[in-house]
Amino acid sequence: MDLSFLAYDTLTAAQALLGKYIYTEQDGAVTGGYITEVEAYLGEHDKAAHAYQLRRTKKNEMMYRDFGTIYVYTMHGHHCMNFITKDTAHPEGVLIRGIEPVTGIDTMIKRRGRENHLTDGPGKLTQSLGIKREHYNGTRLNDDGVCIREGRTPRVITASKRIGIDNKEEAVDYLYRFTVKGNPHVSKDKVVVEENNGWQ
DNA sequence: GTCAGGATTACCT
DNA sequence: GGTAATCCTGACT
């Protein structure tokens, strides 16, 4: 699919990613699902972003690549995946925090070692999809690793505060987290599940 | 070499 | 609601 929507405004791109079908294939096993939860990180002026004030380290180097680059970092032993937006002068990106499992659920269960909560968190979905920093950081979307396709359309998108950044001053109040309203495959929230999981 | 901190998760009450 | 587990990264000595 055409990825040019990632080149424009990051907040718009984040919402456009909801519903996209994301998948990986490893050893003949395809795992994938529909994106249900994302967060935008706006680089230079966003205190919660790894690239705040254009901070640049070996770890966040991939944020300074062009749109469509995949940035994977580890924390507490988990891997988290971002899609980079815009251009090399704007280190911005979208953190994928939740997907609705669709394909290869048996493989996800094997990788996760449990039968539920397979993909309702940034570290959980990378584990279910087999995404590790050493193999995927700096690769490009739809280029043989992580791929996205058109998927479903959210009926309503909810904007909320981002998760896990509670010492970042004013940045904690930005409504840069977007979820599919009524979809249960998201982190933290107690969701009232809606018809069709919130899809049109 | 040492040390503090984190865009998390799982399990507890 | 809270907290321990756990480990990588960056900064500093």
Side-chain angles (χ1 to χ4, degrees):
Chain A
M1 65 172 291
D2 180 13
L3 295 176
S4 59
F5 70 97
L6 294 173
Y8 304 110
D9 173 66
T10 301
L11 293 174
T12 307
Q15 294 171 73
L17 281 167
L18 291 175
K20 294 282 187 291
Y21 177 71
I22 177 176
Y23 66 97
T24 60
E25 178 175 356
Q26 284 172 19
D27 306 321
V30 178
T31 47
Y34 303 119
I35 299 176
T36 57
E37 175 184 3
V38 296
E39 283 179 3
Y41 285 88
L42 267 45
E44 183 172 6
H45 304 291
D46 179 357
K47 280 188 180 163
H50 290 167
Y52 176 54
Q53 291 181 330
L54 297 183
R55 172 184 160 88
R56 186 166 185 161
T57 65
K58 202 167 99 179
K59 166 173 144 177
N60 73 5
E61 179 66 27
M62 296 310 166
M63 294 207 76
Y64 291 82
R65 296 276 182 89
D66 274 318
F67 70 92
T69 300
I70 294 167
Y71 166 45
V72 184
Y73 68 93
T74 59
M75 74 160 333
H76 295 273
H78 302 280
H79 302 266
C80 298
M81 175 175 58
N82 296 252
F83 296 164
I84 298 308
T85 53
K86 306 193 74 159
D87 53 66
T88 57
H90 298 89
E92 305 188 7
V94 178
L95 170 67
I96 310 301
R97 289 192 57 93
I99 70 178
E100 177 176 321
V102 176
T103 311
I105 292 176
D106 51 336
T107 303
M108 296 185 189
I109 291 172
K110 219 174 295 171
R111 287 177 181 153
R112 289 275 295 139
R114 56 189 297 160
E115 298 197 352
N116 47 22
H117 296 290
L118 296 173
T119 56
D120 54 350
K124 302 179 197 178
L125 70 90
T126 53
Q127 188 179 17
S128 280
L129 297 182
I131 294 167
K132 291 193 166 43
R133 184 173 185 229
E134 58 265 34
H135 293 128
Y136 288 87
N137 190 38
T139 61
R140 294 186 53 79
L141 263 179
N142 292 351
D143 186 19
D144 206 37
V146 180
C147 297
I148 61 172
R149 296 280 181 269
E150 291 299 344
R152 310 197 69 168
T153 305
R155 196 158 50 232
V156 178
I157 293 173
T158 302
S160 54
K161 294 181 184 180
R162 293 175 291 182
I163 306 284
I165 55 163
D166 38 332
N167 60 343
K168 295 302 197 302
E169 301 173 39
E170 78 277 1
V172 308
D173 293 321
Y174 299 162
L175 300 178
Y176 289 173
R177 174 173 179 254
F178 303 102
T179 52
V180 177
K181 184 168 182 286
N183 192 292
H185 302 283
V186 299
S187 58
K188 302 287 182 188
D189 299 347
K190 279 177 284 185
V191 172
V192 179
V193 180
E194 296 182 8
E195 183 187 354
N196 214 10
N197 275 354
W199 304 113
Q200 273 184 11

